[in-house]
Amino acid sequence: METPDDPVLEQFLAVIRQWVSELSDGCIIALDGRSGAGKSTLACQAADALDDCVVIDGDSFYRGGTAAEWDSKTAREKATNVIDWQRQLDVLASLRAGQPGVWHEFDWDAFDGRLNANPTICQPSRVIILDGAYSARPELSQHIHRRVLVEVPPAQRLAQLSARDGDVYRDDWLRRWTEAEDFYFTEVVPTDAFDLVLRPRR
């Protein structure tokens, strides 16, 4: 396929192709980064440009909970519990074994803790990208081949969050989750723990 004219995407694609050539059983990539960094856009662009590549939306494993419940938790508790990584682990284990990964996504429309009734099914692929904050967590490392961090300047990230969610939602989100992301990217998986750091500029 033709490679899009985007230096960061070109870099990402080149490294993925190198990794695939080095690995015998495909490559599962954790694409991590702070909220609004542009992870999902990059993941979708990569999947469009690569043969035999699928993207798993890490946000579909959100645990749910009220604003008050999350606000009562410490940064460590938020970072540890916001995503149901145990279910992610089961999905990745199935895919590593050559079996379809099956899960029920968080129902964002109901937003009351329930999961969608219809399952999401991901077929084994040569390249699998687990896209989302907290996707590079150590608990998943047994099934993750490579970890990639998307890192952009704070002002750019805030602008992207505003464009995506609006200023009011963005500010509420940042108030609740910034400390969790600070903890995670400092104490759990700092920058030097990643195999690749991508720094898009706009």
Side-chain angles (χ1 to χ4, degrees):
M1 294 184 180
E2 183 179 353
T3 301
D5 185 19
D6 179 330
V8 171
L9 177 57
E10 289 177 358
Q11 179 188 6
F12 189 33
L13 294 174
V15 173
I16 291 175
R17 291 177 175 126
Q18 177 185 338
W19 288 339
V20 169
S21 71
E22 297 169 348
L23 298 167
S24 60
D25 59 346
C27 187
I28 299 179
I29 299 167
L31 186 62
D32 210 328
R34 292 176 181 264
S35 304
K39 302 180 296 296
S40 296
T41 298
L42 184 62
C44 290
Q45 289 173 335
D48 287 342
L50 293 167
D51 294 320
D52 200 13
C53 176
V54 297
V55 177
I56 297 175
D57 178 9
D59 287 348
S60 67
F61 295 86
Y62 176 58
R63 286 187 188 273
T66 66
E69 288 171 339
W70 285 114
D71 288 345
S72 69
K73 298 182 185 300
T74 66
R76 179 189 294 272
E77 289 171 335
K78 291 177 183 178
T80 301
N81 297 307
V82 61
I83 298 296
D84 191 343
W85 58 264
Q86 291 95 340
R87 289 200 298 129
Q88 288 183 331
L89 190 66
D90 291 341
V91 170
L92 296 178
S94 295
L95 292 168
R96 282 291 300 272
Q99 302 297 320
V102 182
W103 70 98
H104 292 265
E105 298 188 3
F106 180 79
D107 190 336
W108 291 97
D109 292 327
F111 207 78
D112 59 2
R114 79 179 77 173
L115 304 178
N116 288 332
N118 296 325
T120 295
I121 302 175
C122 177
Q123 297 297 331
S125 300
R126 187 67 174 156
V127 179
I128 297 167
I129 301 175
L130 176 60
D131 158 43
Y134 312 104
S135 61
R137 64 185 325 117
E139 292 89 346
L140 302 178
S141 61
Q142 62 183 299
H143 296 305
I144 296 292
H145 293 98
R146 299 290 187 269
R147 297 194 283 190
V148 178
L149 174 65
V150 182
E151 190 174 71
V152 299
Q156 178 182 332
R157 190 169 66 86
L158 294 180
Q160 290 172 177
L161 278 172
S162 291
R164 188 185 73 186
D165 301 325
D167 291 346
V168 174
Y169 185 87
R170 180 204 69 178
D171 291 345
D172 185 59
W173 178 274
L174 292 174
R175 178 184 59 79
R176 183 163 299 115
W177 295 108
T178 294
E179 65 173 4
E181 292 184 354
D182 287 346
F183 171 81
Y184 175 77
F185 288 109
T186 301
E187 302 296 331
V188 182
V189 279
T191 302
D192 61 7
F194 288 86
D195 299 287
L196 175 67
V197 179
L198 297 172
R199 295 185 170 92
R201 294 291 187 270
R202 294 291 185 266

